[in-house]
Amino acid sequence: MNDNNYDDDLSEVEFDADTGEEVVAPESAAETKREEEDVESAAETKTEEEVVESADNKSSIFLPKGIAQEKLPEMIDFSDRGWATDYAVIIVGVLFFISSFSTYPEEYDHFRWLLMGTSVAHFGGGLAHKYFPNRASDGAGMVGFYVTMTLGYLGNCAVNGFGWGLPDNGWKTTMMVVSIVNAVYIVCMAVYVSMKMKRVKDRVDEYSESIAFFPDKLYMVGETGIFVGAMVSSIVYLTYNNVDSAHRTNNVYMWIAVLSNIVGWCSVYVVGPFLYYLIPQTADPSFMQLVFHYSMMVMLWAVNMIATT
């Protein structure tokens, strides 16, 4: 019975008379070709992660694992204490700004730029940390992050260029020009990153394996420029005004204001990254965000004391 079935199956198969090979029917050949094309197409198709890893994103800069990456995915703090202290800085800055119109002598009018610029900076930062914490350092992020953070950085540029009341010996004009250029640059880079990145809506995405996305690195150049500007402008202010001031009390507050500014900025731009990459398993670099915010509140208080003492 089985032998007969085998013979029937062979009778349905056609063989070439010369070569003895099986002759494939046209329909079977077409199906085989389609299967081969599908395999080739699947091999050429990039996964979603490979699309994000674009030609501009070839380098391998991996995010650390452990507490650091858990607390700060892509180095962005999204904890409640982060954005809450941002808004605390805003309240302090706005209140001092309002009171400055009745308490500040004319020579300290420039501090209004510092008060309001700092408030705007932390308004943008607070929005980013609470609602848009997904940065595109891995190629995928939220447009809202770059909108809100850029708004905040414009506030920082206003402080660096106009807030410290630098002397008219070249420093004042230099820092104004540098800050304006920095502001224009970071706005342009925010637009560029938003155009090149993969847009996502999740506050934390699953692409966070590296921070090698080149457009975001260009944005980081602008952030670094603002950090340097914050250091230079406050140090220049202390250097010249500490010498010229006849009020010993004001000298103390000047030192407090400038040191608080330096400590705050260095905590997130120097100490934070140091902890993030060197001891990521045990360190919680999100604490540096708190140091930054509290330092800014101390700086605002000291500036207010300079103008009212």
Side-chain angles (χ1 to χ4, degrees), residues 142-162:
M142 306 171 83
V143 173
F145 173 84
Y146 292 94
V147 173
T148 53
M149 285 300 292
T150 301
L151 171 64
Y153 285 134
L154 292 179
N156 293 132
C157 288
V159 174
N160 296 346
F162 304 91

Side-chain angles (χ1 to χ4, degrees), residues 269-301:
Y269 277 88
V270 179
V271 180
F274 176 85
L275 297 176
Y276 195 75
Y277 287 106
L278 294 186
I279 48 175
Q281 298 292 341
T282 57
D284 179 5
S286 66
F287 177 72
M288 292 299 102
Q289 197 74 22
L290 293 181
V291 174
F292 179 41
H293 297 164
Y294 287 125
S295 296
M296 291 300 102
M297 284 187 272
V298 172
M299 180 197 71
L300 294 175
W301 167 79

Side-chain angles (χ1 to χ4, degrees), residues 205-243:
D205 62 53
E206 297 182 359
Y207 298 99
S208 304
E209 296 180 356
S210 69
I211 52 171
F213 189 52
F214 184 68
D216 183 71
K217 286 185 177 180
L218 294 178
Y219 188 82
M220 195 178 296
V221 171
E223 293 176 304
T224 304
I226 292 171
F227 162 68
V228 173
M231 298 295 98
V232 172
S233 58
S234 58
I235 291 173
V236 170
Y237 165 77
L238 179 64
T239 300
Y240 284 93
N241 286 280
N242 189 50
V243 173

Side-chain angles (χ1 to χ4, degrees), residues 69-83:
Q69 170 65 350
E70 178 185 344
K71 296 288 186 179
L72 273 76
E74 301 179 75
M75 297 186 70
I76 302 299
D77 179 22
F78 62 99
S79 65
D80 289 339
R81 67 181 186 179
W83 63 261

